[in-house]
Amino acid sequence: MQIENIIEQKNLKLTSARRELLEILLKENKPICFEDIKDKLTMNKATFYRNILKFQSNDMINSFESNDKKRYYELQNSPHSHFICNICNTIECLKKIDNIELEGYKVMDVVFKGICKNCLEQSR
Amino acid sequence: MQIENIIEQKNLKLTSARRELLEILLKENKPICFEDIKDKLTMNKATFYRNILKFQSNDMINSFESNDKKRYYELQNSPHSHFICNICNTIECLKKIDNIELEGYKVMDVVFKGICKNCLEQSR
DNA sequence: TACTTAAATGCGACTTAATCGCAACTGTAG
DNA sequence: CTACAGTTGCGATTAAGTCGCATTTAAGTA
Ligand SMILES: [Mn+2]
Ligand SMILES: [Mn+2]
Ligand SMILES: [Zn+2]
Ligand SMILES: [Zn+2]
């Protein structure tokens, strides 16, 4: 199983809450926020946030806030950036943009905001 | 005065709350969050947020969330992107990165996260 | 298998950003 | 000066996120 491996690699206890959370994140396969999944969650919300924190400090997930002012979490399968549409609020995962470098900085994450393909087309 | 012009261009009422808020944003000249300025604010916080909203819908300010989970607001003088350091949490305004284009998208804002110059140097 | 213990959990209280409805107020056009 | 739409203050409300503490549990060891 993937989950067992993920947890073991990070030297974390495999608890039922963690299994549940990782299963959700795996299944979704796109950024999700607390509101999206709170009804599915068996665990207490404090446990949810503590595990999110733990996973983040172990580089297992990343998070960012979207235009709806909600924080989105996703598994860090492969590093990639995100595009958030200012019109429809859709979050898209972009393939890694490898030409983005800033002199003197180490870029680890990029979030683009603007107008997505769909919304651009509809505005014509 | 700048403020009068800004407001007039957007067909908004120039109220004392709006003058105060714009003065603060002008003076700061960098992204600030509610907590940073709430003590200076004369207006009620509902008024603060309503004006922030109004200014945003009029493209006068933009906002983004930083690593400290606080939302930062700044005047949209000239379009530019931001770099947020994952170590020291500093927010830097970057000169417009003009080579950032995504096929089919209209990019209006970019937020980079990673390690800033200072923190990179200190880690050596 | 049973024991041990550090780590994880549930619960309830708490903090604080952000929003909302409503009555009172104010900026601006005429 | 007046009228009125738009704005404000206030108080209540919602919801994300955090915290302390008592209880439970995963996982290593005997
Ligand atoms: Mn993604
Ligand atoms: Mn800036
Ligand atoms: Zn869109
Ligand atoms: Zn830094």
Side-chain angles (χ1 to χ4, degrees), chain A residues 2 6 25-26 29-31 59-64 73-82 92-98 108-110:
Chain A
Q2 294 201 57
I6 296 173
L25 290 168
L26 271 171
N29 199 33
K30 67 167 197 288
D59 298 319
M60 298 161 65
I61 61 175
N62 58 12
S63 74
F64 55 90
Y73 311 94
E74 93 180 328
L75 274 182
Q76 229 173 19
N77 292 317
S78 58
H80 60 272
S81 48
H82 294 95
E92 287 182 53
C93 302
L94 302 174
K95 291 163 198 56
K96 183 170 173 49
I97 316 289
D98 46 10
M108 301 167 71
D109 193 20
V110 186

Side-chain angles (χ1 to χ4, degrees), chain A residues 85-90 115-116 118-119:
Chain A
C85 179
N86 290 334
I87 294 177
C88 68
N89 281 351
T90 301
I115 306 179
C116 75
N118 284 344
C119 290

Side-chain angles (χ1 to χ4, degrees), chain A residues 49-50 52-53 56 63-65 69 71 73, chain B residues 33-35 64-73 84 89 91 113:
Chain A
Y49 284 113
R50 281 187 288 228
I52 287 288
L53 222 60
Q56 293 211 79
S63 74
F64 55 90
E65 206 208 45
K69 292 176 185 156
R71 182 161 278 270
Y73 311 94
Chain B
C33 62
F34 177 64
E35 197 190 17
F64 54 89
E65 205 209 44
S66 185
N67 284 345
D68 57 12
K69 292 179 182 152
K70 290 175 198 153
R71 183 162 277 269
Y72 284 76
Y73 310 95
I84 300 173
N89 280 351
I91 302 172
K113 291 186 183 176

Side-chain angles (χ1 to χ4, degrees), chain B residues 29-31 62 64 74-75 80-82 91-94:
Chain B
N29 198 32
K30 65 167 200 285
N62 58 11
F64 54 89
E74 97 180 323
L75 274 183
H80 60 273
S81 49
H82 294 95
I91 302 172
E92 287 181 53
C93 302
L94 302 174

Side-chain angles (χ1 to χ4, degrees), chain A residues 65-66 69 71 83 86 92 100 102-115 117 120, chain B residues 65 71 83 86 92 94 100 102-117 120:
Chain A
E65 206 208 45
S66 186
K69 292 176 185 156
R71 182 161 278 270
F83 188 93
N86 290 334
E92 287 182 53
I100 291 186
L102 292 175
E103 287 299 315
Y105 297 87
K106 181 179 180 192
V107 177
M108 301 167 71
D109 193 20
V110 186
V111 177
F112 298 89
K113 293 184 184 176
I115 306 179
K117 292 179 180 176
L120 264 185
Chain B
E65 205 209 44
R71 183 162 277 269
F83 189 93
N86 289 335
E92 287 181 53
L94 302 174
I100 290 185
L102 293 175
E103 287 299 315
Y105 297 87
K106 181 180 180 191
V107 177
M108 300 168 71
D109 192 20
V110 188
V111 178
F112 299 90
K113 291 186 183 176
I115 306 179
C116 76
K117 292 179 180 177
L120 264 185

Side-chain angles (χ1 to χ4, degrees), chain A residues 8 10 14 17 19 21 41 45-46 50-51 64 66 71 91 98 103 107 114:
Chain A
E8 201 173 353
K10 301 293 181 177
L14 179 52
R19 168 173 273 118
L21 182 50
L41 287 181
K45 74 170 172 169
R50 281 187 288 228
N51 277 319
F64 55 90
S66 186
R71 182 161 278 270
I91 301 172
D98 46 10
E103 287 299 315
V107 177

